[in-house]
Each structure stands twice: as structure tokens, then as C-alpha cells.
Amino acid sequence: GSSESMRRVGEQIRLAATTDSNVLITGETGVGKNVVARAIHDLQAGRENFLMINCSAIPENLMEAEYFGHEKGVFTGADTRREGIFELADGGTLVLDEIGEIPIRLQSKLLTILEDKCVRRIGGGRNIPVDVRIVATTNQDLGQAIREKRFRQDLYYRLAVVTIQVPPLREHPEDIPEIAEYFARIFCRKPVRILAPDMKRMIDYPWPGNVRELRNVIERASLLLKGDILRPATLLVSDDPDNSWADRRFSEATEIV
């Protein structure tokens, strides 16, 4: 997007790429936090590895082994030595997606790694130096999590050396035509048009799922494409209490049929 708010995000990305400092990226689900993280890595010289871990997708009983690795035979099922994600990302960028999902008991160990730049495998007897650039993302209010004792304040300050807040799509609707046309080129693979009334409806739509929802709407519309007119506005769904958007969506779909 080329709106003022997204230009500001772009400036912050370029600034973050000039340093090895940790970055915390915040924003609602679907705004593109992982895209921002990847952009920081791609613009930074000298770091090759890029590893992204979804903190909410790892079962709590496996987290410690996943993050820190383990030695052979240290617990049942540990048939071989395994490197953790910090060792795997050595020399590169490690994205901790949804950092707020890490249990409080593991946060102190994560803080130690960030401060000492060393990791010790479970069952290991030595510290292993690691050179990892940390980029963390979250859709949570970490300030509230700190007040509720679910997130360590010292870990927050260690992560938030550079902070980037990605705005929800509803706050920069002027970027919707550019983003929609970008996705249309990807999914349609041929020149298509979005009619002005449809584009207006998309600009007025609140996009509760943000850019991810817009992407999915364009992709679905491309599957229904006949000719060169793309009709994404007929697929909009909203969680508005009054269901006004749902009513309009079905009305428009009926007219098309």
C-alpha cells in the first residue's frame, strides 16, 4: 500500500533492516505481520537462514525440546540428539510468531538466551553460542498480559527494541484497490477488471479478517471468474451485528444469477 500509515511501516522496516536489534511486530490477525518480518530479513545484509515458528502451534509439553533442543537419551523417545530452533537459525533470522502464547515458565529461559546469546540443550552440559536475529510477532495486548502476569515485563523490553505496529486494513482503505489488484494478478494470471461499484463496496467493507480476508476473497472470486470481470464484492462476509453486509451480499449475488 501507498497510504501514509503503510509508508510509515515501510520506513520502520528499512530502519529495522539496518540493525541486528530485536524487533516486535504487533497488529490484528491477518494484517501481514509475517510479511513484515520476512521483509526485514530480505532487506538485511549478511543473514541467510530464515526460520519462522508458530508459538501457538507447538504443544506445551514439546516446547522446551523444540526451542532448546535435546541430547540423545535424555528422555523417553529421544533416540537421537536434536538441535533446537535457535541452533537451526544460527546466523540468520528467527521469527517467533505469536510470542504471547509462550508459557510463562519458558519465558525466563528465552530471556536468558536473548541476553547471553547461548543455548543449552536439554540434558546438555555446555552452552552453545548462537547468533540469531529475533523478530517476534503478536496479535495480543502484551501490556495487558504483563498486568495479568502472563508475560514477563523484562522479556517484553528485550524483544521490543524496535517496534512496528501494522494497522488494520479498515484504517487505510485507500490501499484496498492496490492490494486487490495485486492479488488479482497473482490468482487470475491474466488481465482482469474490477468494476468501480465493486471496488467501492470493498473500500467500504470493514474487513474483520484484514488483508488475509481480502486475499481469500480475491482468490475465491478468481475461481468463479468468467471473462475478464472479477466480482469479489459479491463474496464479502461480515460479523457486523446488524448483518447489513450479509444482506447486501446475498442480494447482489441474486442479481448476478
Side-chain angles (χ1 to χ4, degrees):
S2 55
S3 64
E4 178 61 32
S5 60
M6 291 310 296
R7 283 200 301 269
R8 186 162 53 250
V9 169
E11 292 170 359
Q12 293 171 324
I13 289 172
R14 288 187 288 273
L15 174 64
T18 65
T19 175
D20 280 326
S21 299
N22 299 329
V23 180
L24 178 64
I25 305 170
T26 64
E28 296 178 4
T29 297
V31 295
K33 298 185 293 295
N34 294 342
V35 175
V36 171
R38 182 75 207 205
I40 292 171
H41 172 79
D42 289 344
L43 288 173
Q44 185 178 18
R47 291 199 175 273
E48 298 181 1
N49 301 338
F50 180 84
L51 182 60
M52 181 179 296
I53 296 296
N54 186 340
C55 300
S56 64
I58 304 174
E60 185 171 349
N61 62 324
L62 300 178
M63 277 188 173
E64 194 166 0
E66 188 73 23
Y67 287 114
F68 313 126
H70 60 76
E71 297 294 344
K72 179 179 179 180
V74 71
F75 53 78
T76 302
D79 300 326
T80 61
R81 186 187 72 182
R82 181 178 179 181
E83 296 177 334
I85 59 175
F86 286 90
E87 288 184 78
L88 294 174
D90 188 29
T93 301
L94 174 60
V95 180
L96 298 176
D97 187 28
E98 298 307 335
I99 187 73
E101 299 294 335
I102 294 182
I104 192 75
R105 68 178 186 85
L106 293 183
Q107 292 177 21
S108 60
K109 293 187 176 183
L110 176 57
L111 179 63
T112 300
I113 293 175
L114 298 183
E115 292 180 340
D116 298 342
K117 298 188 182 301
C118 290
V119 64
R120 177 176 292 190
R121 301 189 192 113
I122 300 174
R126 66 184 181 91
N127 290 332
I128 303 169
V130 289
D131 174 22
V132 178
R133 168 61 175 298
I134 299 297
V135 179
T137 77
T138 184
N139 62 10
Q140 295 187 28
D141 180 349
L142 292 186
Q144 181 65 28
I146 291 170
R147 290 189 290 273
E148 295 175 356
K149 309 298 184 183
R150 293 184 291 108
F151 201 84
R152 293 179 62 110
Q153 188 174 43
D154 48 3
L155 176 58
Y156 171 81
Y157 287 124
R158 176 60 67 177
L159 292 170
V161 178
V162 179
T163 60
I164 300 176
Q165 183 173 3
V166 186
L169 187 55
R170 64 182 175 275
E171 292 184 3
H172 54 110
E174 62 269 37
D175 289 325
I176 289 173
E178 183 179 350
I179 299 171
E181 290 166 2
Y182 168 77
F183 287 134
R185 288 194 299 272
I186 291 176
F187 294 118
C188 297
R189 300 182 181 180
K190 69 175 185 178
V192 297
R193 293 182 297 146
I194 300 176
L195 300 178
D198 287 341
M199 188 66 78
K200 177 64 166 57
R201 292 187 183 99
M202 288 197 296
I203 291 172
D204 293 339
Y205 181 67
W207 296 107
N210 292 296
V211 178
R212 182 180 295 135
E213 182 184 6
L214 175 56
R215 181 188 189 277
N216 292 341
V217 165
I218 298 295
E219 183 176 7
R220 289 198 300 272
S222 71
L223 299 176
L224 303 173
L225 179 64
K226 294 181 180 179
D228 64 347
I229 304 296
L230 193 68
R231 298 300 310 275
T234 64
L235 302 175
L236 298 181
V237 179
S238 175
D239 57 0
D240 286 346
D242 61 4
N243 281 327
S244 59
W245 271 99
D247 293 342
R248 289 165 62 179
R249 176 184 61 125
F250 290 122
S251 175
E252 292 158 0
T254 302
E255 290 176 7
I256 293 172
V257 172

